[in-house]
Amino acid sequence: TTKYGNRRTSGLATVLGRIIPAVRMTQGGKWVKTRAQDYLANQKWLAWEFKQQLPEMPKHTPIGVEIVFVRGWLFRGDLDNLAKAVLDALQLAGVIGDDAYVVRLMARKRPNKEAEDIATIEVWEESFDNGLTEVQRAVLILGQPIVVAEGKP
């Protein structure tokens, strides 16, 4: 048990180097636009790093991800685009099957006076268990309020 509950499958990766924030591209544009090509090359490198450092998460299972970007230039790259780049690379590496299964995402940027970019990425199998019954978990996932009558859901 950790600060986020029971983590049955988890992994931690550290990446030294610049993560290029996600860019929007069309199918044709990814072959001619320099920014798109740089992003795709960066994705291949990140995916290789993740394959070396992280276990494959179970498919069709809720996943949690925590990302800390330590950057020399703190305000370069929007946090959401940096997080998207990491999620895309996790999916490309096969660590997660589909980023739609990420149900908890925490990301932050911290300054680094040494000017070297570092990122730590933790992934885990998210648990909604917390002592709830199957019915209570199903109701919680569906977003409906849980009504308890006589100690039963």
Side-chain angles (χ1 to χ4, degrees):
T1 303
T2 66
K3 62 182 175 179
Y4 303 116
N6 294 325
R7 293 188 184 179
R8 293 183 289 271
T9 305
S10 65
L12 180 67
T14 301
V15 178
L16 303 174
R18 182 169 179 244
I19 295 177
I20 296 176
V23 295
R24 293 173 196 231
M25 64 186 99
T26 62
Q27 282 292 13
K30 70 181 178 182
W31 304 112
V32 296
K33 295 186 178 181
T34 305
R35 286 184 63 213
Q37 291 174 345
D38 290 346
Y39 174 72
L40 293 172
N42 192 252
Q43 285 292 291
K44 287 181 183 176
W45 166 70
L46 278 174
W48 184 86
E49 288 284 346
F50 293 154
K51 275 188 178 188
Q52 304 304 309
Q53 299 183 48
L54 295 170
E56 187 176 314
M57 295 290 114
K59 304 292 187 236
H60 309 294
T61 301
I63 300 295
V65 179
E66 182 173 13
I67 312 163
V68 179
F69 300 98
V70 181
R71 301 175 61 86
W73 189 345
L74 187 61
F75 300 110
R76 177 178 288 169
D78 292 351
L79 185 59
D80 60 329
N81 290 331
L82 286 165
K84 177 65 175 152
V86 168
L87 293 177
D88 288 348
L90 287 169
Q91 191 167 324
L92 182 63
V95 173
I96 60 175
D98 185 345
D99 60 5
Y101 283 92
V102 174
V103 297
R104 184 189 309 254
L105 175 62
M106 296 167 285
R108 62 185 171 174
K109 294 192 291 187
R110 292 180 38 213
N112 182 7
K113 295 178 182 173
E114 304 300 320
E116 182 178 12
D117 288 352
I118 303 168
T120 58
I121 297 91
E122 185 175 9
V123 295
W124 64 91
E125 186 179 350
E126 185 66 53
S127 173
F128 293 113
D129 194 348
N130 300 331
L132 299 176
T133 67
E134 288 294 326
V135 172
Q136 289 172 323
R137 279 196 296 278
V139 169
L140 186 61
I141 290 169
L142 294 173
Q144 302 297 322
I146 297 174
V147 178
V148 178
E150 298 179 17
K152 297 183 180 182

